[in-house]
Amino acid sequence: QVQLVESGGGSVEIGGSLRLSCEASGFTGRNFCMAWFRQAPGKEREGVARLDKYGHETVVDAVKGRFTISRDNEKNTLYLQMNSLKPDDTAMYYCAADLRTICSSFPFRMSSYPSWGQGTQVTVSS
């Protein structure tokens, strides 16, 4: 059974850092595309960063240079290192997995990701 469990969220001040983790089970994460999405109150869910099975990263402009996506194959865990956090980064963050052999050409099309975690809350305030 495929399962994704996020952790690492919390409340931080502007300019602070957090590292989110997504522990995968039921499949081998390094063989598939995995991504982080986020959803702020009253807004649609949006993609943040994707890591494909070849290690190629796709990061949206809003977080480029501040957020880094990575994977620990031994732990079957996906990470999102978030630095220089801003109030606009406040959201529920979700981990997702695309379990097809060939990943979507659209890295943040939500319908490409059948498996999702429950989310972890990130709050950035002054």
Side-chain angles (χ1 to χ4, degrees):
Q1 180 181 357
V2 172
Q3 191 172 12
L4 301 171
V5 179
E6 301 98 333
S7 62
S11 296
V12 294
E13 294 184 347
I14 295 172
S17 297
L18 284 173
R19 188 177 78 157
L20 306 184
S21 300
C22 172
E23 185 173 351
S25 59
F27 70 103
T28 303
R30 67 174 181 267
N31 293 335
F32 302 99
C33 288
M34 294 184 69
W36 288 98
F37 288 77
R38 66 185 181 184
Q39 187 167 18
K43 294 186 178 181
E44 294 185 352
R45 192 170 299 189
E46 62 179 5
V48 176
R50 185 187 80 171
L51 188 64
D52 72 15
K53 59 183 179 181
Y54 304 107
H56 300 142
E57 303 172 24
T58 303
V59 181
V60 297
D61 288 344
V63 306
K64 196 166 291 183
R66 300 188 298 120
F67 290 13
T68 303
I69 187 171
S70 63
R71 181 169 52 216
D72 185 326
N73 293 333
E74 291 292 324
K75 296 181 179 179
N76 210 25
T77 299
L78 184 75
Y79 299 102
L80 185 68
Q81 177 66 45
M82 305 187 297
N83 299 327
S84 302
L85 283 162
K86 306 174 181 180
D88 284 350
D89 297 319
T90 295
M92 184 72 78
Y93 284 72
Y94 298 91
C95 172
D98 180 352
L99 301 181
R100 297 172 299 176
T101 302
I102 300 175
C103 297
S104 172
S105 297
F106 301 94
F108 302 119
R109 174 179 284 173
M110 286 194 291
S111 59
S112 299
Y113 297 90
S115 300
W116 292 81
Q118 83 291 347
T120 186
Q121 177 68 38
V122 172
T123 303
V124 184
S125 59
S126 58

